[in-house]
């Protein structure tokens, strides 16, 4: 995103990874803002140009740390981060984007990784009490869409023992509506 001098708007996201800025930098010539790692990789793997305006960028020496604009934006982002922290928070297993709730993670993988058929550990399954950090799924995007269409916390009571939860579910299932 282009701003005056070397500023990045905190309310916006990196145009490469589509996540909140991490170590934001701007390109000196055009002042477009990116995550440091995103633009460094883009410059090293491209024709040495800005991904947004295609203006020249001879290398990482033309990058400078960005200043984040407006205190109001920071407050808004802090509120959003606190709201997300109340629920489960997941990192994308295919890129470095982080702090998604279940719904946002599904939206992120469907937008950014829809054609990926990669093996990965499911961060949602891994967060469950029975989660196994070594168990991978062959197609993480398909797995997330099939297995995690709903929030587990709507159906699980984390403070209740599994046997008690099963008994409660069995009792509720026998009640006529």
């Amino acid at each position: 995103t282009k701003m005056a001098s070397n500023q990045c708007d905190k309310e916006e996201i990196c145009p490469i990874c589509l996540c909140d800025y991490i170590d934001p930098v701007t390109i000196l010539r055009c002042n477009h803002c990116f995550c440091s790692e995103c633009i460094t990789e883009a410059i090293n793997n491209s024709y040495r140009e800005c991904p947004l305006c295609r203006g020249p960028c001879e290398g990482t020496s033309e990058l400078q740390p960005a200043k984040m604009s407006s205190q109001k934006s920071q407050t808004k982002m802090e509120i959003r981060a606190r709201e997300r922290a109340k629920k489960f928070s997941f990192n994308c297993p295919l890129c470095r984007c982080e702090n998604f709730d279940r719904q946002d993670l599904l939206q992120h993988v469907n937008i950014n990784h829809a054609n990926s058929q990669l093996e990965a550990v499911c961060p949602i399954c891994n967060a469950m009490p029975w989660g196994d950090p070594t168990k991978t799924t062959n197609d993480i995007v398909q797995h997330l869409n099939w297995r995690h269409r709903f929030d587990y916390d709507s159906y699980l009571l984390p403070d209740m023992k599994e046997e008690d939860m099963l008994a409660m579910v069995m009792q509720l299932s026998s009640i006529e509506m």
Side-chain angles (χ1 to χ4, degrees):
T1 301
K2 187 173 184 175
M3 300 214 36
S5 145
N6 64 332
Q7 285 192 339
C8 294
D9 188 344
K10 275 194 168 189
E11 291 181 3
E12 294 192 22
I13 58 175
C14 173
I16 296 175
C17 69
L18 304 177
C19 295
D20 293 334
Y21 292 115
I22 298 173
D23 300 325
V25 295
T26 57
I27 297 175
L28 287 170
R29 294 182 195 210
C30 63
N31 289 319
H32 284 123
C33 191
F34 305 93
C35 294
S36 175
E37 188 176 317
C38 292
I39 190 61
T40 299
E41 186 176 331
I43 290 170
N44 291 337
N45 293 323
S46 76
Y47 300 101
R48 299 199 179 263
E49 58 188 20
C50 173
L52 289 179
C53 68
R54 301 292 182 218
C57 182
E58 298 303 320
T60 56
S61 63
E62 293 193 29
L63 303 176
Q64 64 180 349
K67 296 174 187 168
M68 300 308 284
S69 68
S70 86
Q71 185 64 31
K72 184 178 179 183
S73 298
Q74 183 178 9
T75 304
K76 184 176 180 177
M77 286 191 63
E78 287 171 355
I79 291 168
R80 190 171 50 171
R82 278 196 302 271
E83 288 173 355
R84 282 185 171 165
K86 290 179 188 174
K87 296 182 177 184
F88 286 113
S89 179
F90 307 107
N91 296 340
C92 176
L94 300 175
C95 67
R96 63 191 188 93
C97 293
E98 50 189 36
N99 296 324
F100 293 109
D101 63 15
R102 180 210 48 89
Q103 186 175 357
D104 289 342
L105 178 61
L106 261 65
Q107 182 179 13
H108 170 79
V109 297
N110 286 322
I111 291 171
N112 298 293
H113 309 294
N115 297 323
S116 299
Q117 292 182 336
L118 299 173
E119 186 175 309
V121 174
C122 175
I124 299 173
C125 290
N126 191 37
M128 295 297 117
W130 57 84
D132 179 358
T134 62
K135 182 164 175 39
T136 60
T137 181
N138 291 332
D139 184 344
I140 189 66
V141 175
Q142 185 179 43
H143 170 84
L144 288 167
N145 282 293
W146 285 359
R147 303 285 275 181
H148 301 293
R149 290 185 220 172
F150 63 91
D151 287 315
Y152 278 110
D153 56 348
S154 300
Y155 299 94
L156 296 177
L157 302 170
D159 298 331
M160 186 180 280
K161 292 180 182 175
E162 187 175 359
E163 296 84 20
D164 296 337
M165 198 178 320
L166 180 60
M168 182 183 77
V169 169
M170 294 300 288
Q171 182 180 13
L172 289 172
S173 68
S174 65
I175 298 173
E176 287 189 38
M177 297 278 186

